[in-house]
Amino acid sequence: MWIVSIFIIGIISQIQLKLFPNQIKDLELLNTFFKNTKLWQQVLFFSLTPAICEELLFRGLIFGSLNQKIQAKFAIILSGILFGIFHIYPGKIITTALLGMLFAYSRYKTNSLTIPIILHFINNSFIFILMPYSNILKHSKSISISVGLIMFFLTFNGLYQFTKDFIDRK
């Protein structure tokens, strides 16, 4: 489900970049900043710390409180929207809200903060994993097509599994 969500969020991000082209400058500034920090600092300050702190706040406190007062699906949606708004950056509110909903859903299904923290950490670490390869992906069509096909098959499989699980529950 996470892979499917990341793929869909990637598509939405590309649409948002077309609608808000000034975001590209911001992404380039971030890229420059990250190139000047060590990998362990990137992982600690931009992946692990936010994953733990934000999950404790949004999935622990906010979602937990909402889930006691309203139906789970509305608690998931509302806490996700609050998560998106919390990240302030207008061009990323939608994608961040969707991630927040995914993290809340995983918290709801597992009744634990461990899975959302791990998913959040992986999501935040993704940029550091892919950044060294961004020029290769930009200039090599065969690698880009290969990555795209892998993502497509993972997405298709994730959608199939999610649909199957959903139908089996009824």
Side-chain angles (χ1 to χ4, degrees):
M1 191 163 112
W2 177 76
I3 291 171
V4 172
S5 299
I6 291 300
F7 184 72
I8 292 169
I9 287 168
I11 292 170
I12 292 170
S13 291
Q14 290 303 313
I15 293 168
Q16 286 180 294
L17 282 174
K18 299 291 183 200
L19 295 174
F20 304 102
N22 58 337
Q23 285 184 14
I24 294 172
K25 293 176 189 171
D26 296 339
L27 291 172
E28 288 170 354
L29 284 171
L30 258 173
N31 196 15
T32 303
F33 173 77
F34 288 139
K35 284 182 182 178
N36 296 322
T37 58
K38 294 181 171 104
L39 181 60
W40 72 267
Q41 292 170 324
Q42 294 170 357
V43 170
L44 178 65
F45 296 121
F46 300 104
S47 296
L48 185 61
T49 303
I52 293 170
C53 295
E54 291 176 7
E55 290 311 309
L56 287 173
L57 175 64
F58 284 95
R59 262 51 73 187
L61 182 65
I62 294 173
F63 172 75
S65 297
L66 288 171
N67 195 34
Q68 292 176 353
K69 294 177 176 43
I70 60 177
Q71 289 181 356
K73 62 183 170 186
F74 296 118
I76 290 168
I77 292 168
L78 185 57
S79 68
I81 291 169
L82 291 172
F83 185 68
I85 293 169
F86 171 79
H87 283 81
I88 299 173
Y89 194 66
K92 287 292 192 182
I93 288 175
I94 294 171
T95 54
T96 308
L98 290 172
L99 276 173
M101 290 176 208
L102 170 70
F103 300 153
Y105 180 76
S106 68
R107 161 71 162 85
Y108 172 72
K109 292 306 285 182
T110 63
N111 201 26
S112 168
L113 284 172
T114 305
I115 297 299
I117 288 172
I118 291 169
L119 290 175
H120 198 146
F121 173 76
I122 291 169
N123 179 72
N124 288 1
S125 298
F126 224 41
I127 190 168
F128 308 120
I129 295 166
L130 294 179
M131 195 180 323
Y133 306 105
S134 62
N135 286 334
I136 295 169
L137 290 173
K138 234 187 274 183
H139 300 295
S140 174
K141 288 192 185 230
S142 62
I143 292 175
S144 295
I145 290 170
S146 299
V147 169
L149 284 172
I150 291 168
M151 290 301 290
F152 171 78
F153 286 116
L154 289 173
T155 302
F156 180 77
N157 183 50
L159 284 171
Y160 171 76
Q161 294 297 331
F162 179 74
T163 305
K164 184 179 171 204
D165 183 47
F166 185 75
I167 290 170
D168 288 345
R169 284 193 200 146
K170 286 188 172 183

